[in-house]
Amino acid sequence: MEDVLNKVFQKIESLKDEMVEMQKKMIALPAISPVSGGKGELRKARYLEPILREIFDEVTFYNAPHPEAEEGIRPNIVAKMRGKNSSKTIWFMAHLDVVPEGDRKLWNTDPFTGVVKDGKIYGRGAEDNQQAIASSIAAAKALKELGIRPSYDVGLLLVADEETGNNYGINYLLSKYNGVSNGDLVIVPDSGDPNGEKIEVAEKSILWLKVTTKGVQSHGAFPNQGKNAHKAAAYLITAIDGLYNKFTERDEIFDYPRHSFEPTKKEANVPNVNTIPGEDVTYFDCRLLPSLKRENFLEEFKRCASEIEKRFGVQITIETVQSVASSKTEPDAPVVKAVQRAVKRVLGRDAHPYGTGGGTVAAVFRNKGIPAAVYSKMDEVPHTPNEYCVIDNMVSDAKVWAHIMLEG
Ligand SMILES: [Zn+2]
């Protein structure tokens, strides 16, 4: 087996330039969700399609209809390669979509032109999540070119809409495709650390809330004639902040070992300074440790809102924008062990299971009883200006995937 591994690793090294090229092509095809002002993932999926067809035995598109996306489609791709034994499938799942570039002034290079410098590729999506796309394709390609069948079936799930709720992505795909089962291994290379020593096995539950406060608009000089929705919402934000003193639990498996409930996005209200706003829309990003039920937290949130309603005479509506329950993959599950063995062989390091607050799609699998491990060797610069991928990390990830493909 050592001989085979060495050959495969050498092959992967030789595919380095190809991976970089693939990254550049993908960076130039910004797959931004329509919700964030883009057209979706279709062009990127079409670019990848012939590459996948060359390597995999079956490539199937599951297109979620979405009128605002290019051609009304949000593409999801399942690519499968038959292994020596088809009793289970080793899945690698990556997302096609990227977030917008943000403030362009903060970028040193064009966010949608891949620029190679000092062993890194700069560009939006380079690390999140194209490192995963390029490295998993390269691992499969190395096996294909060497004529080596993986131990078990190998599958790639390339999905849309990970950054804005998964409804046109993995949730849609799993509603149409039932080929992922409990005995499979699911690896999600969407988070990691620079040393490649961490395997994420648990996530916090996510609850995104849209809070609309309705008051009465009036002239800025006559607050007595209106009900300031903005001010009431500000008091609600403060009240919710007070919940940090109520929900004080800690779970040290998580990087940030507490629940969090943070006000984030704020919709614009009145355009002028001298009008008291009659409506306010504020969003909250709540991340709960697995032990706190979303319903129980929401009840407390509603209690705070109704106190604000009484105090300011406003009406508050709370809508759930996203709600994802999380559950744990056991730290000694076969998928975790497989990643640990591969990391030991490729990097000579021990990788440890941990929990995170960032929602990756692994939760979607875990909640269906399918064990999933999140692993990658990365600097963790997603969504930042000057996002980059360390080329050596992409190569080392590809070797880790190949090891798992070969040894299960
Ligand atoms: Zn990601």
Side-chain angles (χ1 to χ4, degrees), residues 6 10 21-22 32-33 38 40 66 78 119 153 264 266 269 276 283 296 298-299 303 308 332 351:
N6 286 333
Q10 266 169 32
E21 213 38 51
M22 202 186 290
I32 296 166
S33 160
H66 189 180
V78 178
D153 288 359
T264 52
K266 171 90 179 68
N269 49 26
I276 286 180
Y283 293 76
N296 296 351
L298 198 53
E299 215 169 277
R303 195 190 53 75
I308 299 294
D332 58 353

Side-chain angles (χ1 to χ4, degrees), residues 39 42 63-74:
K39 289 181 177 160
L42 192 61
N63 294 326
H66 189 180
E68 289 137 56
E70 189 160 14
E71 293 184 34
I73 285 170
R74 304 292 296 277

Side-chain angles (χ1 to χ4, degrees), residues 95 128-129 162-163 190 382-383:
H95 61 88
D128 181 21
N129 195 213
E162 194 269 348
E163 300 288 1
D190 198 20
H383 304 200

Side-chain angles (χ1 to χ4, degrees), residues 84-252:
K84 291 178 194 152
N85 177 332
S86 289
S87 62
K88 64 181 171 190
T89 303
I90 301 165
W91 294 102
F92 295 88
M93 140 123 214
H95 61 88
L96 294 162
D97 58 321
V98 301
V99 295
E101 71 273 30
D103 187 351
R104 225 170 235 261
K105 290 192 297 295
L106 300 175
W107 285 78
N108 300 325
T109 58
D110 182 321
F112 299 114
T113 303
V115 175
V116 176
K117 200 178 163 235
D118 305 328
K120 296 169 179 168
I121 309 159
Y122 289 87
R124 175 56 82 227
E127 192 185 61
D128 181 21
N129 195 213
Q130 287 158 199
Q131 180 175 325
I133 298 173
S135 60
S136 55
I137 289 176
K141 182 166 182 168
L143 299 194
K144 169 82 178 181
E145 288 200 347
L146 293 168
I148 300 167
R149 281 274 156 206
S151 57
Y152 297 97
D153 288 359
V154 164
L156 250 57
L157 303 168
L158 302 181
V159 301
D161 198 30
E162 194 269 348
E163 300 288 1
T164 50
N166 295 316
N167 284 338
Y168 301 98
I170 188 65
N171 291 344
Y172 177 84
L173 178 62
L174 294 181
S175 75
K176 300 285 168 190
Y177 175 71
N178 57 11
V180 187
S181 56
N182 294 13
D184 291 350
L185 307 186
V186 177
I187 293 139
V188 183
D190 198 20
S191 179
D193 70 299
N195 294 329
E197 291 172 340
K198 290 164 87 178
I199 304 169
E200 188 258 290
V201 295
E203 295 184 351
K204 290 178 186 172
S205 298
I206 296 180
L207 192 59
W208 288 359
L209 302 173
K210 177 184 180 183
V211 179
T212 306
T213 304
K214 282 209 159 73
V216 177
Q217 184 176 312
S218 69
H219 191 288
F222 306 106
N224 53 318
Q225 291 170 10
K227 282 175 183 161
N228 193 331
H230 182 40
K231 183 156 86 177
Y235 272 85
L236 177 64
I237 289 172
T238 310
I240 298 304
D241 206 51
L243 296 180
Y244 276 102
N245 299 323
K246 185 179 173 76
F247 297 105
T248 55
E249 194 196 347
R250 298 178 74 90
D251 182 345
E252 302 298 336

Side-chain angles (χ1 to χ4, degrees), residues 204-209 240 243 246-247 259 261 286-304 318 320 322-326 367:
K204 290 178 186 172
S205 298
I206 296 180
L207 192 59
W208 288 359
L209 302 173
I240 298 304
L243 296 180
K246 185 179 173 76
F247 297 105
H259 308 293
F261 2 89
C286 310
R287 312 270 168 152
L288 311 177
L289 296 172
S291 56
L292 177 58
K293 286 211 170 86
R294 289 163 298 164
E295 309 84 88
N296 296 351
F297 173 73
L298 198 53
E299 215 169 277
E300 196 56 29
F301 196 106
K302 284 179 179 159
R303 195 190 53 75
C304 292
I318 301 165
T320 300
Q322 191 182 194
S323 181
V324 184
S326 186
N367 291 331

